[in-house]
Amino acid sequence: ASYWNHRIHDLEMTDHPVGTLAFFDDLDDYRFDKLRYLPQLVDFSAYRGQRLLEVGCGIGTDLVRFAKGGARVTGVDLAQTAIDLARKNVELNGVAAEELRVADGEALPYPDASFDVVYGHGVIQYTANPARLIRECHRVLRPGGAAIFMVYNRVSWLNAMSKVTKVALEHEDAPVLKKFSIAEFRGLLSPFSDVRIVPERFPVKSRLHKGWKGLAFNTFFVGTFNALPRAWVRPLGWHLMAFCKR
């Protein structure tokens, strides 16, 4: 909690004051430029009228999109800083949340079968006990409900590139950072009756890295990698997206 209270994800991608609408717009723009695949895989407007819980909601970027699509959203995060900003984000975007609160994903403060959908993008890898978090998400999900998760792929292009170029991954200094193979991720999701895993996040030009490494990445690597047949490189995607049914 202390670590995440002092770090706003992607803060360096905006010059606008923290908590303003322009601040939230910049971070939304950067997130969905970097994660172009996400709205292609997750239809944010497909959950109208459904109760949706986001575990590790951060500043509420994805949660606002679900709310705009008509979902009845609840968000939890370990960091009070994140929850305060998520409340501001919701307010400035003219949507509503049923609840935004500080809570631990490994001990969710909700009864069994409380939600139709549970969403956790980029959260499992930062928790001390991923299996416990998955069990909690399964517990609060109603029978037949949907869960959507993302973790980092240990056997991926970005993990390999980080080691070769000596460029640290985002939040590599976090108290916990776990990466998973596809098989390991599938095993972690064993409480669910149906699991589909989709490797994603292939190279796009980076706004974050500068200098000769950034130039080489943006000029040569991105084009070369994306010219290869997707079937060859798909298992190497940096993000493993899981679509689960309870």
Side-chain angles (χ1 to χ4, degrees):
S2 176
Y3 177 90
W4 294 108
N5 262 312
H6 291 89
R7 287 163 178 82
I8 301 171
H9 196 54
D10 295 330
L11 180 61
E12 64 273 27
M13 304 317 300
T14 181
D15 295 323
H16 293 288
V18 174
T20 62
L21 182 58
F23 164 85
F24 292 118
D25 285 346
D26 276 357
L27 266 60
D28 179 273
D29 176 72
Y30 176 66
R31 177 170 176 77
F32 287 95
D33 178 50
K34 180 175 63 174
L35 308 183
R36 297 174 191 180
Y37 75 85
L38 190 53
Q40 297 172 14
L41 286 184
V42 178
D43 184 353
F44 289 95
S45 64
Y47 305 100
R48 180 170 297 276
Q50 298 186 46
R51 295 197 72 210
L52 181 145
L53 170 68
E54 182 173 4
V55 178
C57 66
I59 66 169
T61 303
D62 291 3
L63 204 66
V64 164
R65 290 207 172 199
F66 282 118
K68 286 181 175 180
R72 299 161 53 200
V73 301
T74 293
V76 299
D77 200 283
L78 269 181
Q80 184 68 58
T81 302
I83 292 299
D84 291 344
L85 285 170
R87 288 184 179 132
K88 192 69 175 174
N89 197 359
V90 163
E91 175 191 343
L92 289 173
N93 275 281
V95 293
E98 292 194 340
E99 184 173 43
L100 294 167
R101 66 180 291 182
V102 174
D104 183 353
E106 294 182 17
L108 291 169
Y110 301 108
D112 296 355
S114 296
F115 296 95
D116 303 298
V117 185
V118 175
Y119 179 80
H121 189 282
V123 175
I124 296 168
Q125 52 263 47
Y126 294 114
T127 194
N129 192 325
R132 184 180 298 163
L133 184 145
I134 292 296
R135 288 196 299 270
E136 277 292 276
C137 291
H138 183 270
R139 179 185 65 79
V140 301
L141 192 62
R142 66 166 176 78
I148 303 169
F149 303 110
M150 182 280 280
V151 299
Y152 295 148
N153 184 3
R154 184 163 46 78
V155 189
S156 65
W157 67 270
L158 186 55
N159 199 40
M161 175 166 279
S162 174
K163 295 180 184 302
V164 169
T165 63
K166 309 299 182 186
V167 174
L169 299 168
E170 287 182 286
H171 301 300
E172 199 163 60
D173 61 338
V176 177
L177 175 56
K178 302 176 187 290
K179 290 164 274 190
F180 301 84
S181 69
I182 292 174
E184 289 164 348
F185 191 26
R186 189 176 299 279
L188 187 66
L189 298 169
S190 60
F192 291 93
S193 62
D194 182 68
V195 174
R196 177 171 64 97
I197 295 177
V198 181
E200 263 297 346
R201 176 111 194 259
F202 303 104
V204 298
K205 289 185 177 182
S206 174
R207 303 186 201 174
L208 185 60
H209 298 296
K210 310 297 181 183
W212 72 265
K213 289 182 179 179
L215 180 65
F217 177 83
N218 288 336
T219 305
F220 301 109
F221 182 75
V222 172
T224 301
F225 188 99
N226 286 305
L228 296 171
R230 189 58 89 219
W232 295 3
V233 297
R234 177 159 290 283
L236 303 178
W238 172 231
H239 289 182
L240 299 178
M241 291 287 297
F243 298 87
C244 314
K245 290 288 185 182
R246 189 186 192 288

